[in-house]
Amino acid sequence: MPKSRYRAAQIGGSADEVETAFYEALHNADLEQLMACWADEDEIVCVHPGGPRLVGAAAIRQAFEQMFSVGAIHATPERLRRIEALGAAVHNVLERVDQQTAEGLRRAWVVATNVYLKTAHGWRLVAHHASPGRSEVAEVTQHAQLLH
């Protein structure tokens, strides 16, 4: 299916919609939908927990193709923190990753940062960086004091 038929590839929309499409693609092991979320740029970057920096669509596609060969990735974004300015959006999420094993359900936590740019083709993912998390409470928030 041409990537223009996927929701992530439609002109307009928002970074939030692309992020939703990205996580749906992971849940469905849908490589074409997943790649439709990425910008058509040579310098797009993806880092999986403990993995190398993958640069470019071919390297990213190959990594996800290999991951999908053993099944879908049931990563659910939680606790979204977002910064948006002009044509860029940075989303930091705590991903809850569930995997069914012979011993039952296994759960892991991943801290991920997704960077989106507004392109001529709409919002697109340009960077996904994921690191292992320790638990669902792997967040420290400290409010800054007013300087003036």
Side-chain angles (χ1 to χ4, degrees), residues 42-82:
D42 293 335
E43 297 298 318
I44 58 176
V45 176
C46 183
V47 179
H48 294 125
R53 180 171 64 170
L54 305 169
V55 180
I60 293 168
R61 174 183 276 278
Q62 182 179 27
F64 278 105
E65 188 171 43
Q66 187 174 27
M67 291 166 68
F68 289 162
S69 72
V70 294
I73 301 165
H74 297 283
T76 304
E78 297 184 356
R79 297 190 186 172
L80 170 65
R81 302 284 184 168
R82 94 174 39 90

Short mmCIF file of all heavy atoms in Angstrom, two decimals, residues 42-82:
data_model
loop_
_atom_site.label_atom_id
_atom_site.label_comp_id
_atom_site.label_asym_id
_atom_site.label_seq_id
_atom_site.Cartn_x
_atom_site.Cartn_y
_atom_site.Cartn_z
N ASP A 42 17.62 12.21 4.67
CA ASP A 42 18.76 11.31 4.84
C ASP A 42 19.21 11.19 6.29
O ASP A 42 19.78 10.19 6.68
CB ASP A 42 19.96 11.78 4.01
CG ASP A 42 19.70 11.68 2.52
OD1 ASP A 42 18.85 10.86 2.12
OD2 ASP A 42 20.35 12.42 1.76
N GLU A 43 18.97 12.21 7.10
CA GLU A 43 19.53 12.27 8.45
C GLU A 43 18.56 11.88 9.56
O GLU A 43 18.82 12.19 10.72
CB GLU A 43 20.09 13.67 8.71
CG GLU A 43 21.24 14.05 7.80
CD GLU A 43 22.47 13.15 7.95
OE1 GLU A 43 22.83 12.80 9.08
OE2 GLU A 43 23.05 12.78 6.92
N ILE A 44 17.45 11.20 9.24
CA ILE A 44 16.57 10.74 10.31
C ILE A 44 17.34 9.73 11.17
O ILE A 44 18.22 9.02 10.69
CB ILE A 44 15.24 10.16 9.77
CG1 ILE A 44 15.48 9.00 8.81
CG2 ILE A 44 14.42 11.26 9.11
CD1 ILE A 44 14.19 8.33 8.33
N VAL A 45 17.00 9.70 12.47
CA VAL A 45 17.78 8.91 13.42
C VAL A 45 16.87 8.12 14.35
O VAL A 45 15.84 8.63 14.81
CB VAL A 45 18.67 9.85 14.28
CG1 VAL A 45 19.41 9.08 15.35
CG2 VAL A 45 19.63 10.63 13.42
N CYS A 46 17.28 6.89 14.64
CA CYS A 46 16.54 6.05 15.57
C CYS A 46 17.56 5.32 16.45
O CYS A 46 18.54 4.76 15.95
CB CYS A 46 15.69 5.04 14.79
SG CYS A 46 14.67 3.98 15.83
N VAL A 47 17.30 5.32 17.76
CA VAL A 47 18.13 4.58 18.71
C VAL A 47 17.21 3.75 19.58
O VAL A 47 16.34 4.29 20.26
CB VAL A 47 18.97 5.53 19.60
CG1 VAL A 47 19.80 4.73 20.60
CG2 VAL A 47 19.86 6.44 18.76
N HIS A 48 17.39 2.42 19.51
CA HIS A 48 16.62 1.52 20.36
C HIS A 48 17.42 1.28 21.65
O HIS A 48 18.64 1.44 21.66
CB HIS A 48 16.37 0.19 19.65
CG HIS A 48 15.49 0.33 18.47
ND1 HIS A 48 15.84 -0.09 17.20
CD2 HIS A 48 14.27 0.87 18.33
CE1 HIS A 48 14.88 0.19 16.35
NE2 HIS A 48 13.90 0.77 17.01
N PRO A 49 16.74 0.91 22.73
CA PRO A 49 17.45 0.71 24.00
C PRO A 49 18.67 -0.21 23.86
O PRO A 49 18.56 -1.33 23.37
CB PRO A 49 16.39 0.06 24.90
CG PRO A 49 15.10 0.55 24.34
CD PRO A 49 15.32 0.61 22.85
N GLY A 50 19.82 0.32 24.21
CA GLY A 50 21.07 -0.45 24.14
C GLY A 50 21.61 -0.67 22.75
O GLY A 50 22.60 -1.38 22.57
N GLY A 51 20.97 -0.06 21.74
CA GLY A 51 21.39 -0.30 20.37
C GLY A 51 22.21 0.84 19.79
O GLY A 51 22.39 1.89 20.42
N PRO A 52 22.70 0.66 18.57
CA PRO A 52 23.48 1.69 17.91
C PRO A 52 22.57 2.79 17.34
O PRO A 52 21.35 2.62 17.27
CB PRO A 52 24.16 0.94 16.77
CG PRO A 52 23.16 -0.13 16.42
CD PRO A 52 22.54 -0.53 17.74
N ARG A 53 23.17 3.87 16.94
CA ARG A 53 22.42 4.94 16.26
C ARG A 53 22.18 4.49 14.83
O ARG A 53 23.11 4.19 14.09
CB ARG A 53 23.23 6.24 16.30
CG ARG A 53 22.51 7.38 15.62
CD ARG A 53 23.20 8.68 15.84
NE ARG A 53 24.52 8.68 15.24
CZ ARG A 53 25.29 9.75 15.12
NH1 ARG A 53 24.88 10.91 15.57
NH2 ARG A 53 26.48 9.66 14.58
N LEU A 54 20.92 4.43 14.44
CA LEU A 54 20.52 4.07 13.08
C LEU A 54 20.25 5.37 12.33
O LEU A 54 19.41 6.16 12.76
CB LEU A 54 19.27 3.20 13.10
CG LEU A 54 19.35 1.94 13.95
CD1 LEU A 54 17.97 1.31 14.10
CD2 LEU A 54 20.35 0.96 13.36
N VAL A 55 20.93 5.58 11.22
CA VAL A 55 20.79 6.82 10.46
C VAL A 55 20.26 6.50 9.08
O VAL A 55 20.84 5.66 8.36
CB VAL A 55 22.14 7.57 10.36
CG1 VAL A 55 21.97 8.86 9.56
CG2 VAL A 55 22.70 7.88 11.74
N GLY A 56 19.17 7.15 8.70
CA GLY A 56 18.59 6.97 7.38
C GLY A 56 17.48 5.95 7.36
O GLY A 56 17.41 5.03 8.19
N ALA A 57 16.60 6.11 6.38
CA ALA A 57 15.41 5.26 6.28
C ALA A 57 15.74 3.79 6.08
O ALA A 57 15.08 2.92 6.65
CB ALA A 57 14.51 5.76 5.14
N ALA A 58 16.76 3.48 5.30
CA ALA A 58 17.09 2.08 5.03
C ALA A 58 17.51 1.36 6.32
O ALA A 58 17.06 0.24 6.59
CB ALA A 58 18.19 1.97 3.98
N ALA A 59 18.35 2.00 7.13
CA ALA A 59 18.80 1.38 8.38
C ALA A 59 17.65 1.24 9.36
O ALA A 59 17.52 0.20 10.04
CB ALA A 59 19.92 2.22 9.00
N ILE A 60 16.79 2.25 9.42
CA ILE A 60 15.64 2.20 10.33
C ILE A 60 14.67 1.12 9.89
O ILE A 60 14.19 0.33 10.70
CB ILE A 60 14.97 3.59 10.42
CG1 ILE A 60 15.93 4.58 11.10
CG2 ILE A 60 13.63 3.51 11.14
CD1 ILE A 60 15.52 6.03 11.01
N ARG A 61 14.38 1.06 8.61
CA ARG A 61 13.47 0.05 8.06
C ARG A 61 13.99 -1.35 8.38
O ARG A 61 13.24 -2.22 8.84
CB ARG A 61 13.30 0.23 6.56
CG ARG A 61 12.48 -0.89 5.90
CD ARG A 61 12.41 -0.70 4.40
NE ARG A 61 11.36 0.21 4.03
CZ ARG A 61 10.07 -0.12 3.91
NH1 ARG A 61 9.68 -1.35 4.14
NH2 ARG A 61 9.17 0.77 3.57
N GLN A 62 15.27 -1.58 8.14
CA GLN A 62 15.85 -2.90 8.36
C GLN A 62 15.74 -3.32 9.83
O GLN A 62 15.40 -4.45 10.14
CB GLN A 62 17.31 -2.92 7.92
CG GLN A 62 17.97 -4.28 8.07
CD GLN A 62 19.41 -4.26 7.62
OE1 GLN A 62 20.08 -3.23 7.65
NE2 GLN A 62 19.89 -5.40 7.18
N ALA A 63 15.99 -2.38 10.75
CA ALA A 63 15.90 -2.70 12.18
C ALA A 63 14.47 -3.06 12.57
O ALA A 63 14.26 -4.06 13.28
CB ALA A 63 16.40 -1.52 13.00
N PHE A 64 13.49 -2.28 12.12
CA PHE A 64 12.10 -2.59 12.48
C PHE A 64 11.62 -3.86 11.77
O PHE A 64 10.84 -4.62 12.35
CB PHE A 64 11.19 -1.40 12.19
CG PHE A 64 11.21 -0.37 13.29
CD1 PHE A 64 11.88 0.82 13.12
CD2 PHE A 64 10.56 -0.60 14.49
CE1 PHE A 64 11.91 1.77 14.14
CE2 PHE A 64 10.58 0.33 15.52
CZ PHE A 64 11.26 1.53 15.33
N GLU A 65 12.08 -4.09 10.57
CA GLU A 65 11.72 -5.31 9.86
C GLU A 65 12.20 -6.53 10.66
O GLU A 65 11.46 -7.51 10.83
CB GLU A 65 12.34 -5.30 8.46
CG GLU A 65 11.88 -6.41 7.55
CD GLU A 65 12.38 -6.18 6.13
OE1 GLU A 65 13.55 -5.80 5.95
OE2 GLU A 65 11.57 -6.41 5.21
N GLN A 66 13.40 -6.45 11.17
CA GLN A 66 13.94 -7.53 11.98
C GLN A 66 13.15 -7.69 13.28
O GLN A 66 12.83 -8.81 13.70
CB GLN A 66 15.41 -7.27 12.28
CG GLN A 66 16.11 -8.41 12.98
CD GLN A 66 17.59 -8.13 13.13
OE1 GLN A 66 18.04 -6.99 13.18
NE2 GLN A 66 18.36 -9.20 13.21
N MET A 67 12.80 -6.58 13.91
CA MET A 67 12.02 -6.64 15.15
C MET A 67 10.63 -7.24 14.89
O MET A 67 10.15 -8.07 15.66
CB MET A 67 11.90 -5.25 15.76
CG MET A 67 13.22 -4.72 16.29
SD MET A 67 13.19 -2.95 16.66
CE MET A 67 12.08 -2.90 18.03
N PHE A 68 9.98 -6.83 13.79
CA PHE A 68 8.65 -7.32 13.47
C PHE A 68 8.66 -8.80 13.06
O PHE A 68 7.62 -9.46 13.11
CB PHE A 68 8.00 -6.49 12.36
CG PHE A 68 7.60 -5.10 12.78
CD1 PHE A 68 7.36 -4.13 11.81
CD2 PHE A 68 7.45 -4.73 14.10
CE1 PHE A 68 6.98 -2.84 12.16
CE2 PHE A 68 7.08 -3.45 14.48
CZ PHE A 68 6.84 -2.50 13.50
N SER A 69 9.81 -9.31 12.65
CA SER A 69 9.88 -10.72 12.24
C SER A 69 9.58 -11.66 13.41
O SER A 69 9.23 -12.81 13.19
CB SER A 69 11.25 -11.04 11.62
OG SER A 69 12.25 -11.07 12.62
N VAL A 70 9.72 -11.18 14.64
CA VAL A 70 9.38 -12.00 15.81
C VAL A 70 8.06 -11.57 16.44
O VAL A 70 7.67 -12.08 17.47
CB VAL A 70 10.52 -11.98 16.86
CG1 VAL A 70 11.76 -12.66 16.32
CG2 VAL A 70 10.81 -10.59 17.35
N GLY A 71 7.37 -10.61 15.81
CA GLY A 71 6.05 -10.21 16.29
C GLY A 71 5.91 -8.72 16.51
O GLY A 71 6.87 -7.95 16.36
N ALA A 72 4.72 -8.34 16.85
CA ALA A 72 4.41 -6.93 17.09
C ALA A 72 5.09 -6.44 18.36
O ALA A 72 5.48 -7.24 19.22
CB ALA A 72 2.90 -6.76 17.20
N ILE A 73 5.22 -5.13 18.46
CA ILE A 73 5.79 -4.50 19.64
C ILE A 73 4.66 -3.78 20.36
O ILE A 73 4.10 -2.81 19.84
CB ILE A 73 6.90 -3.50 19.23
CG1 ILE A 73 7.99 -4.25 18.47
CG2 ILE A 73 7.46 -2.80 20.46
CD1 ILE A 73 8.93 -3.34 17.72
N HIS A 74 4.32 -4.27 21.52
CA HIS A 74 3.19 -3.71 22.26
C HIS A 74 3.68 -2.62 23.22
O HIS A 74 3.70 -2.79 24.43
CB HIS A 74 2.43 -4.82 22.98
CG HIS A 74 1.84 -5.80 22.02
ND1 HIS A 74 0.71 -5.54 21.29
CD2 HIS A 74 2.27 -7.01 21.61
CE1 HIS A 74 0.45 -6.55 20.49
NE2 HIS A 74 1.39 -7.47 20.67
N ALA A 75 4.09 -1.51 22.61
CA ALA A 75 4.56 -0.34 23.36
C ALA A 75 3.42 0.67 23.41
O ALA A 75 2.88 1.05 22.37
CB ALA A 75 5.79 0.27 22.69
N THR A 76 3.09 1.09 24.60
CA THR A 76 2.01 2.07 24.80
C THR A 76 2.61 3.30 25.45
O THR A 76 3.17 3.20 26.55
CB THR A 76 0.91 1.47 25.68
OG1 THR A 76 0.44 0.26 25.08
CG2 THR A 76 -0.24 2.45 25.85
N PRO A 77 2.50 4.46 24.79
CA PRO A 77 3.07 5.67 25.38
C PRO A 77 2.21 6.15 26.55
O PRO A 77 1.00 6.17 26.47
CB PRO A 77 3.05 6.67 24.23
CG PRO A 77 1.95 6.20 23.34
CD PRO A 77 1.90 4.71 23.49
N GLU A 78 2.89 6.52 27.63
CA GLU A 78 2.23 7.07 28.80
C GLU A 78 3.00 8.30 29.25
O GLU A 78 4.16 8.47 28.91
CB GLU A 78 2.18 6.04 29.93
CG GLU A 78 1.37 4.80 29.58
CD GLU A 78 1.25 3.82 30.73
OE1 GLU A 78 1.86 4.05 31.80
OE2 GLU A 78 0.54 2.83 30.55
N ARG A 79 2.35 9.12 30.02
CA ARG A 79 2.98 10.31 30.61
C ARG A 79 3.72 11.16 29.58
O ARG A 79 4.90 11.45 29.72
CB ARG A 79 3.93 9.90 31.73
CG ARG A 79 3.19 9.24 32.87
CD ARG A 79 4.07 9.07 34.04
NE ARG A 79 3.36 8.31 35.05
CZ ARG A 79 3.93 7.86 36.13
NH1 ARG A 79 5.19 8.10 36.36
NH2 ARG A 79 3.22 7.19 36.99
N LEU A 80 3.00 11.56 28.58
CA LEU A 80 3.55 12.40 27.53
C LEU A 80 3.92 13.77 28.06
O LEU A 80 3.14 14.42 28.75
CB LEU A 80 2.53 12.55 26.39
CG LEU A 80 2.84 13.57 25.31
CD1 LEU A 80 4.08 13.19 24.53
CD2 LEU A 80 1.65 13.71 24.36
N ARG A 81 5.12 14.20 27.74
CA ARG A 81 5.58 15.57 27.97
C ARG A 81 5.88 16.12 26.59
O ARG A 81 6.56 15.48 25.80
CB ARG A 81 6.86 15.59 28.83
CG ARG A 81 6.74 14.95 30.17
CD ARG A 81 5.99 15.84 31.11
NE ARG A 81 5.97 15.24 32.45
CZ ARG A 81 5.59 15.88 33.50
NH1 ARG A 81 5.21 17.13 33.42
NH2 ARG A 81 5.58 15.28 34.67
N ARG A 82 5.36 17.31 26.29
CA ARG A 82 5.55 17.82 24.93
C ARG A 82 5.98 19.27 24.96
O ARG A 82 5.54 20.06 25.80
CB ARG A 82 4.30 17.58 24.10
CG ARG A 82 3.32 18.67 24.04
CD ARG A 82 2.13 18.47 23.10
NE ARG A 82 1.51 17.19 22.98
CZ ARG A 82 0.50 16.75 23.72
NH1 ARG A 82 0.01 17.48 24.69
NH2 ARG A 82 -0.03 15.58 23.49
#
